[in-house]
Amino acid sequence: FSASCSGCGPGYRSPLDAMKGPREEIIYLPCIYRNTDTLKPDYLATVDVNPKSPTYCQVIHRLPMPNLRDELHHSGWNACSSCFDDPSKKRNYLILPSLISSRVYVVDVGTDPRAPKIHKMVEPIELYWKCGLANPHTSHCLASGQIMISCMGDPSGNAKGGFVLLDGETFEVIGNWEHQGEAAPFGYDFWYQPRHNVMISTEWGAPKALVNGFNPAHVKEGHYGSALNIWDWTTHRKLQRLDLGEEGAIPLEVRFLHDPSATEGYVGCALNSAIFRFYKTAKGDWAAEKVISVPSKKVEGWMLPEMPGLITDILISLDDRYLYFSNWLHGDIRQYDITDRRNPRLVGQVFLGGSIVSDGPVRVLEDPENQQQPRPCIIKGKHIPGSPQMLQLSLDGRRLYVTTSLYSGWDKQFYPDMIREGSAMMQIDVDTVIGGLTLNEDFLVDFGKEPDGPVLAHELRYPGGDCTSDIWL
């Protein structure tokens, strides 16, 4: 899966080189039992996605964690394309932070990519005592060889947006990336762009507030974030807190354009379903503007009279041409042409479940987009519970993989049937010429049929890196 040149490090020389990389054959997904009826450890599933394989669409390996109720969530690498110039580096360890237990697992996927094994565990007290942090979320590898993990809380469950550094060889906790006392008020995701000496981090909410579900009153009480935090990549100082206001409440996934010289990117803001474009201004600071808005629908039979789309995951194709995102409440995935960066154009949309399906309890009374309530999503006879959430795009941009679980505590609140029946992994065929999304009805991984009972599968990773793991310098 590494680039086809001798003496090169992991990944690819450029995003456009990565587009010519090999087709994905296996995918790693964290599978979560926390908040389900099964008292078993979370595990890392390896799924075969090679259509020529006899085990196509099957879980071919399961690596259980040694603890209960970790809440595995996102994953990252010990090395990626940011280390491409260092032939001594190999992409052979997957970093698995646990959102609730605050453990970090280091998984060896290099020895046998089809049968990962645990290499090391970083215990929560390492994060608590050395960094004053907890609830680790996103991990990225750095060109220095270190691994950086964003955190959402302090050890008491209050909001705190700091960053943990791990040694890339020993995986020991080195300490904080940010200076003492300079953590952001909230934490979640981050992305860095060294050519412009910048890192941008986002804000979900206080772990204590969101752990058991979403309470709208907590937004008014200030337990959720609404800003982008702009950091100096070299000095680790915070330069700006860019408040996106009410429309930008709960900014989650942040994606710079893949082109390392780009001075702009996009962030998905969950609560009011907006995509903001952030960019460097002529005077050298950073600003943001709303470029996409998914209107809420007036409904009956739901917890509130208005249902937002709830944009949860976003990604950008490696050629920086298309932006994709999921509306986890409405139930659709959208594809936008972002060639004109300030004016994205909707070119593809597909519904895969969600809260407004025509056979469900919710009636749409008023929809500014005048869309009919979608039919339920049925693949190979399976009525898909839940709604599209995590996304991963093939390197060539032609296949979009989707899972349905957001976070076990919110799954339980919004989609209790998914807790009972397990989540699903689906695949969408993408028209990369003019845009367009079509469900592949021959592809389904049903996580309701797992040996220990229905499970919640979350983020998707390819062994050779992908468009949400790799950063180019």
Side-chain angles (χ1 to χ4, degrees), residues 307-328:
M307 183 190 291
L310 208 80
I311 294 174
T312 46
D313 197 17
I314 75 167
L315 60 75
I316 298 173
S317 61
L318 285 167
D319 57 4
D320 292 333
R321 182 171 169 199
Y322 292 114
L323 170 81
Y324 301 85
F325 65 79
S326 50
N327 284 308
W328 191 62

Side-chain angles (χ1 to χ4, degrees), residues 51 277 312 314 326 339 343 471:
R277 168 184 170 259
T312 46
I314 75 167
S326 50
T339 315
N343 297 288
I471 292 179

Side-chain angles (χ1 to χ4, degrees), residues 210-251:
L210 60 84
V211 63
N212 293 317
F214 177 66
N215 177 351
H218 284 157
V219 178
K220 292 187 178 64
E221 290 165 18
H223 297 304
Y224 284 91
S226 62
L228 297 181
N229 295 287
I230 318 286
W231 305 77
D232 183 304
W233 186 236
T234 316
T235 64
H236 307 189
R237 296 278 176 203
K238 194 157 56 157
L239 301 171
Q240 270 175 273
R241 186 161 190 268
L242 202 54
D243 199 328
L244 304 177
E246 202 175 317
E247 285 188 311
I250 315 186

Side-chain angles (χ1 to χ4, degrees), residues 192-465:
Y192 62 87
Q193 202 79 322
R195 289 196 197 177
H196 302 289
N197 191 35
V198 70
M199 183 269 279
I200 298 185
S201 66
T202 60
E203 303 186 335
W204 185 5
K208 252 196 315 209
L210 60 84
V211 63
N212 293 317
F214 177 66
N215 177 351
H218 284 157
V219 178
K220 292 187 178 64
E221 290 165 18
H223 297 304
Y224 284 91
S226 62
L228 297 181
N229 295 287
I230 318 286
W231 305 77
D232 183 304
W233 186 236
T234 316
T235 64
H236 307 189
R237 296 278 176 203
K238 194 157 56 157
L239 301 171
Q240 270 175 273
R241 186 161 190 268
L242 202 54
D243 199 328
L244 304 177
E246 202 175 317
E247 285 188 311
I250 315 186
L252 296 179
E253 309 297 332
V254 59
R255 314 288 188 207
F256 262 97
L257 296 182
H258 295 287
D259 173 0
S261 63
T263 53
E264 59 189 327
Y266 299 90
V267 59
C269 302
L271 192 57
N272 292 300
S273 307
I275 301 282
F276 277 73
R277 168 184 170 259
F278 57 85
Y279 58 96
K280 195 175 185 175
T281 70
K283 68 173 203 267
D285 64 351
W286 293 78
E289 59 181 355
K290 187 176 76 166
V291 291
I292 300 171
S293 182
V294 176
S296 294
K297 300 176 195 286
K298 284 203 170 112
V299 294
E300 65 179 11
W302 196 62
M303 63 188 278
L304 298 169
E306 294 216 350
M307 183 190 291
L310 208 80
I311 294 174
T312 46
D313 197 17
I314 75 167
L315 60 75
I316 298 173
S317 61
L318 285 167
D319 57 4
D320 292 333
R321 182 171 169 199
Y322 292 114
L323 170 81
Y324 301 85
F325 65 79
S326 50
N327 284 308
W328 191 62
L329 289 177
H330 290 174
D332 58 321
I333 293 174
R334 301 188 182 203
Q335 174 192 24
Y336 284 79
D337 185 318
I338 53 168
T339 315
D340 178 350
R341 307 293 183 209
R342 297 188 68 183
N343 297 288
R345 194 165 52 88
L346 180 63
V347 291
Q349 182 181 23
V350 62
F351 277 89
L352 302 171
S355 295
I356 53 164
V357 283
S358 55
D359 66 342
V362 177
R363 285 286 145 274
V364 176
L365 305 176
E366 208 178 296
D367 178 4
E369 293 182 315
N370 287 320
Q371 296 187 331
Q372 282 192 317
Q373 290 192 230
R375 291 197 301 271
C377 180
I378 298 169
I379 307 175
K380 297 185 166 185
K382 159 95 172 172
H383 191 298
I384 304 297
S387 184
Q389 207 285 110
M390 290 309 297
L391 307 174
Q392 192 52 265
L393 189 64
S394 60
L395 297 178
D396 64 8
R398 290 180 186 161
R399 290 167 302 285
L400 190 66
Y401 294 92
V402 192
T403 57
T404 51
S405 163
L406 169 66
Y407 154 69
S408 71
W410 290 26
D411 294 353
K412 191 175 186 173
Q413 177 183 9
F414 291 102
Y415 294 111
D417 53 339
M418 185 163 60
I419 299 282
R420 291 189 299 271
E421 298 169 41
S423 66
M425 173 176 164
M426 300 168 275
Q427 188 195 69
I428 293 165
D429 294 318
V430 180
D431 184 327
T432 55
V433 181
I434 56 165
L437 302 176
T438 317
L439 176 66
N440 176 355
E441 298 195 13
D442 296 320
F443 185 102
L444 174 69
V445 185
D446 180 358
F447 286 95
K449 295 200 164 99
E450 285 296 88
D452 285 327
V455 76
L456 303 167
H458 193 59
E459 200 198 34
L460 307 121
R461 280 273 167 262
Y462 307 142

Side-chain angles (χ1 to χ4, degrees), residues 36-65:
T36 71
D37 297 333
T38 304
L39 192 63
K40 291 272 183 175
D42 297 350
Y43 58 94
L44 182 70
T46 305
V47 171
D48 186 334
V49 292
N50 178 359
K52 299 186 178 124
S53 161
T55 51
Y56 180 54
C57 276
Q58 291 175 32
V59 179
I60 55 171
H61 187 267
R62 297 171 185 87
L63 174 69
M65 299 301 118

